[in-house]
Amino acid sequence: CNSKESVLEKDYINIAHRGASGSTPEHTYAAYDKAIKQKADYTELDLQMTKDNKLVAMHDSKVDRTTNGTGMVKDKTLKDIKKLDSGSWFDKKYKGEKVPELNDVLSKYKKKTNFYIETKKPDMYPGMDEKLIKDLEDNTILKENDLDNGKLIIQSFSETSLKNIHKLNENIPLIQLVDDKVVKSLNDKELKNLSKYAYGLGFNKEVVNKDLVKKCHENGLKVHVFTLNNQDEVKEMKELGVDGAFNNNP
Ligand code: G3P
Ligand code: CA
């Protein structure tokens, strides 16, 4: 018996973009803790993969912007990455924050939040999708009941990555992120095809309008929007009928 109400039943889901990244350094434990305090429905995690095939939460493929190091994540081992400070760039009071390993985030937060995970640059990282499923399995995130209740959503701009994920576990809700340039050309046939594997689509807020939301809904697709910062933007997006949004200040 599945008595817990699914977060996916909500009219609008509030996704903490890279954690509460408006007020804390993105993809740090401080950012995830704050997102939970701000009552976000989901914590978003962007993934990169190290030289020794470990998944870490970082938006960029280079460490330069958000740590005191330089270079590509793919050229560093997890041990190298763990030496970096990922808080000071934002504010010296966050000195000592570390780049989180996915495995640790899942085990530390699985009882506290739902996860909305993005495979970044999966073409650059062979084996990324398989490693993601392995980490999720190892942390018992893939129980059917939990998936029904919205414990996990996986998103990507890569259709190949999403389809790979579904080959490994067909119960995971998938969000196909849509490049701004192709939005205008999305017709009913394409939306129908997307709905064969995707739970919904992710759009930049600049390209979303009522008509687009309606067309997606008519084809059985949810609409999630990136990236909001304040209440006015949330109100505006809710008026368009979107089903959720990424927010820097969840
Ligand atoms: O995942 C979609 C949303 O997060 C916006 O994209 O660049 O912040 O990963 P980005
Ligand atoms: Ca993202």
Side-chain angles (χ1 to χ4, degrees), residues 17-18 44 46 59 118 120 155 246:
H17 185 238
R18 314 180 192 174
E44 192 217 11
D46 296 304
H59 177 271
E118 177 173 1
K120 282 271 180 217
Q155 55 167 336
F246 297 85

Side-chain angles (χ1 to χ4, degrees), residues 16-250:
H17 185 238
R18 314 180 192 174
S21 62
S23 56
T24 41
E26 65 186 62
H27 293 314
T28 58
Y29 288 138
Y32 303 149
D33 288 339
K34 182 90 171 268
I36 290 162
K37 219 166 151 191
Q38 293 183 339
K39 299 205 167 20
D41 295 308
Y42 282 87
T43 301
E44 192 217 11
L45 302 168
D46 296 304
L47 297 184
Q48 307 287 338
M49 196 154 89
T50 64
K51 191 175 169 183
D52 50 344
N53 300 325
K54 309 288 185 205
L55 294 175
V56 293
M58 186 176 283
H59 177 271
D60 303 359
S61 43
K62 291 175 95 172
V63 301
D64 302 44
R65 183 178 60 86
T66 57
T67 76
N68 58 346
T70 56
M72 304 286 286
V73 176
K74 72 174 174 57
D75 297 332
K76 298 181 187 304
T77 62
L78 182 66
K79 203 172 157 204
D80 299 331
I81 295 273
K82 284 283 171 202
K83 287 181 193 147
L84 302 174
D85 178 314
S86 62
S88 299
W89 70 277
F90 191 87
D91 187 312
K92 62 180 184 307
K93 74 177 176 198
Y94 295 108
K95 185 170 188 275
E97 286 285 342
K98 298 286 171 207
V99 176
E101 185 184 359
L102 176 65
N103 243 319
D104 293 339
V105 179
L106 296 175
S107 98
K108 183 169 155 80
Y109 291 98
K110 67 181 174 185
K111 294 211 164 72
K112 298 185 182 158
T113 189
N114 301 308
F115 302 108
Y116 199 126
I117 300 179
E118 177 173 1
T119 55
K120 282 271 180 217
K121 307 255 164 101
D123 303 347
M124 193 163 85
Y125 299 122
M128 176 182 235
D129 302 325
E130 289 75 10
K131 173 64 175 152
L132 168 57
I133 295 295
K134 168 93 172 52
D135 284 0
L136 290 164
E137 263 166 11
D138 289 350
N139 287 283
T140 58
I141 311 283
L142 297 177
K143 285 194 240 150
E144 217 171 310
N145 248 3
D146 291 343
L147 293 177
D148 288 348
N149 288 330
K151 189 77 215 159
L152 169 72
I153 293 175
I154 294 181
Q155 55 167 336
S156 190
F157 281 100
S158 164
E159 179 179 337
T160 309
S161 172
L162 292 177
K163 287 186 168 167
N164 252 343
I165 301 278
H166 253 190
K167 273 187 211 145
L168 300 164
N169 186 314
E170 61 180 10
N171 299 319
I172 300 172
L174 304 176
I175 294 286
Q176 177 69 61
L177 299 171
V178 182
D179 196 282
D180 293 4
K181 294 195 281 292
V182 305
V183 174
K184 273 211 168 77
S185 64
L186 274 182
N187 56 33
D188 273 324
K189 191 173 165 218
E190 273 160 336
L191 290 169
K192 200 155 261 113
N193 277 335
L194 287 162
S195 75
K196 286 180 189 153
Y197 67 92
Y199 169 73
L201 305 181
F203 297 106
N204 184 333
K205 66 175 190 294
E206 308 299 337
V207 302
V208 175
N209 55 50
K210 266 193 177 158
D211 187 49
L212 177 66
V213 175
K214 186 164 167 269
K215 274 202 314 196
C216 290
H217 286 168
E218 282 167 359
N219 283 286
L221 290 158
K222 300 281 184 189
V223 175
H224 294 168
V225 174
F226 53 87
T227 303
L228 313 187
N229 285 289
N230 57 53
Q231 290 286 2
D232 288 347
E233 289 172 337
V234 173
K235 189 164 173 273
E236 192 188 326
M237 287 299 129
K238 283 186 176 175
E239 279 166 9
L240 299 180
V242 310
D243 306 290
F246 297 85
N247 201 313
N248 292 325
N249 301 298

